[in-house]
Amino acid sequence: EAGVAQSPRYKIIEKRQSVAFWCNPISGHATLYWYQQILGQGPKLLIQFQNNGVVDDSQLPKDRFSAERLKGVDSTLKIQPAKLEDSAVYLCASSLGGGDEQFFGPGTRLTVL
Amino acid sequence: AQRVTQPEKLLSVFKGAPVELKCNYSYSGSPELFWYVQYSRQRLQLLLRHISRESIKGFTADLNKGETSFHLKKPFAQEEDSAMYYCALSRPTNAGKSTFGDGTTLTVKP
């Protein structure tokens, strides 16, 4: 069984630029999560989808971050414009349903200069 | 608001010694609780969850609702247990918002 795929693996941008991350979850998983993990901290949930609907986005900085999950499969997370404090690893995970075991992708390491 | 606290950032033990990684949570209800582990250069992965009541790689975790704790224990640590451990909480529904602690780095010395 293929795991959760993410791209790119690394990205370096300058502040005020835009960036987008892509995630392909495990086939059949209804729930998809995007996390931000700042160095030395645990993963912080940014947004959680159930199929193509948003379950929780209370910690998503909506003035600059956006995410979509068209057709309830792949998902894209965008930052526009980026700030220095957005430097982090962005993790995508999926699960059969909310409250189930989450399977994580390898993450995208973003550096904002 | 739901919260997960792991009071120890770093924990170091010798091989063969018992180990306990602490996790405390706040949630007004019956949460789903998990321990995830990240070995060097690997993805974050599930170690165990409280409802399965399994022992994985010699680790166990008991949910104590009175103390709102879910500590992870192993009687005899091995060098291969060295990793980053995260405690996590989810609401037990499809609207199950997920919250992670900040993790504990366990080092098992030979």
Side-chain angles (χ1 to χ4, degrees):
Chain A
E1 170 181 282
V4 176
Q6 287 188 249
S7 67
R9 293 294 311 278
Y10 305 91
K11 190 73 178 179
I12 300 174
I13 61 173
E14 296 192 348
K15 60 183 180 183
R16 291 189 288 274
Q17 285 188 321
S18 303
V19 64
F21 312 126
W22 172 81
C23 173
N24 181 234
I26 292 173
S27 177
H29 281 193
T31 309
L32 185 146
Y33 314 76
W34 281 104
Y35 292 91
Q36 179 192 59
Q37 187 171 21
I38 293 172
L39 189 64
Q41 298 180 19
K44 182 181 94 172
L45 182 68
L46 293 176
I47 188 166
Q48 179 173 335
F49 292 95
Q50 180 73 13
N51 297 308
N52 60 347
V54 175
V55 168
D56 189 284
D57 62 357
S58 57
Q59 299 189 101
L60 186 74
K62 298 180 185 63
D63 58 334
R64 297 184 302 107
F65 286 64
S66 64
E68 60 183 11
R69 190 183 184 196
L70 299 176
K71 300 180 182 178
V73 183
D74 293 8
S75 178
T76 304
L77 176 70
K78 296 180 182 177
I79 308 175
Q80 181 179 8
K83 292 186 175 182
L84 297 177
E85 59 261 36
D86 299 332
S87 293
V89 174
Y90 290 84
L91 294 167
C92 179
S94 69
S95 64
L96 282 170
D100 290 327
E101 172 186 359
Q102 296 179 45
F103 294 82
F104 284 82
T108 297
R109 183 176 298 278
L110 174 67
T111 302
V112 182
L113 303 174
Chain B
Q2 61 193 64
R3 174 177 286 185
V4 175
T5 303
Q6 294 179 250
E8 304 135 332
K9 270 241 179 264
L10 302 170
L11 186 60
S12 182
V13 301
F14 284 101
K15 176 182 173 181
V19 62
E20 180 180 50
L21 291 83
K22 292 184 168 56
C23 172
N24 292 93
Y25 67 91
S26 64
Y27 178 69
S28 56
S30 295
E32 296 282 349
L33 285 157
F34 305 82
W35 277 98
Y36 285 85
V37 62
Q38 188 165 27
Y39 301 103
S40 180
R41 303 182 191 282
Q42 293 188 27
R43 303 182 183 197
L44 200 56
Q45 60 186 285
L46 179 71
L47 179 61
L48 55 80
R49 61 188 299 184
H50 88 276
I51 63 168
S52 66
R53 297 187 174 271
E54 289 179 306
S55 172
I56 306 294
K57 299 186 179 183
F59 284 97
T60 59
D62 291 320
L63 175 59
N64 185 322
K65 291 186 177 181
E67 296 184 357
T68 59
S69 68
F70 188 55
H71 303 327
L72 183 68
K73 301 177 184 180
K74 185 170 183 177
F76 308 103
Q78 303 299 314
E79 290 180 68
E80 55 266 30
D81 296 329
S82 296
M84 187 73 163
Y85 292 81
Y86 294 96
C87 183
L89 176 158
S90 286
R91 295 175 188 168
T93 65
N94 276 335
K97 178 180 173 180
S98 178
T99 301
F100 278 73
D102 282 337
T104 297
T105 301
L106 173 64
T107 302
V108 181
K109 297 180 284 188

